[in-house]
Amino acid sequence: GQSLEQPSEVTAVEGAIVQINCTYQTSGFYGLSWYQQHDGGAPTFLSYNALDGLEETGRFSSFLSRSDSYGYLLLQELQMKDSASYFCAVRANSGNTPLVFGKGTRLSVIA
Amino acid sequence: KAGVTQTPRYLIKTRGQQVTLSCSPISGHRSVSWYQQTPGQGLQFLFEYFSETQRNKGNFPGRFSGRQFSNSRSEMNVSTLELGDSALYLCASSFDYEQYFGPGTRLTVT
């Protein structure tokens, strides 16, 4: 099966940088995805790492290391609107398997 | 392009009743997935459909069922509702690796 671990909560200061880690236990998968969900809203796609390394999209970057079974989401120049829950997700590459999400990390950005 | 729509948005039912939730995916998307979300439990996978076939099913009791129609619209049904079924039910459609979520149906079981 697949298992993803994320910290449940993270607090950071406006303007700072924060890293949200995701460790996983799955033998093989297509890629690591990240989703953002604001309170009362639906999850929205942020990034996808098919290969090891860093993917950058504006203030957000995502990293994957398959050899370390580890990935992270990096948020720079934090803004209050970044306060939300962030989920990592993987889909195993053995047969037809669903996208499995971690339990999410609640990020609180404070002034 | 219109996003994923879900109906109804809110629903209050009593224990023992049954409920049907509907999801219309983005035009052209043939894959639809359903998730249950409760506080602290993240997104629990329910079903995945592709071209009217159930491709995957999560670890939920048989009271939870679903289907997909030829136009890719999907429904899920929960029979004999229990208090623990109170949750946000999210539907997502996808074309590739990116999932697009609908706003969800907030189900409250009393």
Side-chain angles (χ1 to χ4, degrees):
Chain A
Q2 301 151 70
S3 170
L4 300 103
E5 297 293 328
Q6 304 178 235
S8 58
E9 294 182 3
V10 172
T11 300
V13 178
E14 191 176 17
I17 299 172
V18 72
Q19 179 173 311
I20 299 174
N21 297 325
C22 174
T23 57
Y24 54 85
Q25 292 183 12
T26 184
S27 55
F29 59 96
Y30 291 110
L32 181 69
S33 302
W34 288 93
Y35 288 77
Q36 178 192 60
Q37 185 180 29
H38 287 99
D39 286 348
T44 56
F45 173 81
L46 286 178
S47 68
Y48 177 72
N49 290 69
L51 304 173
D52 281 10
L54 193 67
E55 293 283 341
E56 297 179 73
T57 309
R59 294 188 298 113
F60 293 2
S61 302
S62 57
F63 173 82
L64 174 63
S65 169
R66 289 177 185 268
S67 59
D68 296 323
S69 298
Y70 164 73
Y72 65 72
L73 180 69
L74 191 74
L75 296 82
Q76 303 181 71
E77 301 172 17
L78 279 172
Q79 302 176 11
M80 301 300 285
K81 67 179 182 179
D82 296 329
S83 292
S85 292
Y86 294 84
F87 298 88
C88 59
V90 296
R91 183 191 296 266
N93 58 12
S94 55
N96 278 325
T97 56
L99 186 65
V100 175
F101 287 81
K103 292 192 174 183
T105 298
R106 185 168 184 85
L107 171 65
S108 297
V109 180
I110 58 175
Chain B
K1 187 182 277 191
V4 178
T5 58
Q6 292 187 246
T7 56
R9 292 292 311 278
Y10 302 91
L11 206 50
I12 300 175
K13 291 284 190 178
T14 56
R15 278 181 299 175
Q17 288 187 312
Q18 67 93 28
V19 66
T20 299
L21 311 181
S22 181
C23 170
S24 292
I26 291 172
S27 177
H29 287 190
R30 295 158 64 187
S31 175
V32 173
S33 299
W34 288 88
Y35 298 87
Q36 181 195 67
Q37 186 173 35
T38 53
Q41 292 302 310
L43 295 154
Q44 300 289 309
F45 171 75
L46 281 158
F47 321 99
E48 181 181 23
Y49 290 90
F50 183 84
S51 294
E52 301 180 69
T53 300
Q54 187 179 86
R55 193 155 63 173
N56 289 292
K57 186 178 193 302
N59 189 25
F60 278 82
R63 300 185 296 108
F64 291 79
S65 63
R67 58 178 176 169
Q68 186 180 33
F69 302 95
S70 58
N71 61 358
S72 293
R73 190 177 69 85
S74 178
E75 288 182 348
M76 66 163 283
N77 184 278
V78 188
S79 62
T80 321
L81 283 166
E82 300 177 358
L83 294 178
D85 298 333
S86 294
L88 179 67
Y89 289 87
L90 290 160
C91 163
S93 73
S94 61
F95 181 79
D96 193 355
Y97 56 79
E98 181 178 346
Q99 291 205 337
Y100 297 81
F101 284 84
T105 295
R106 173 74 62 184
L107 172 64
T108 301
V109 182
T110 62

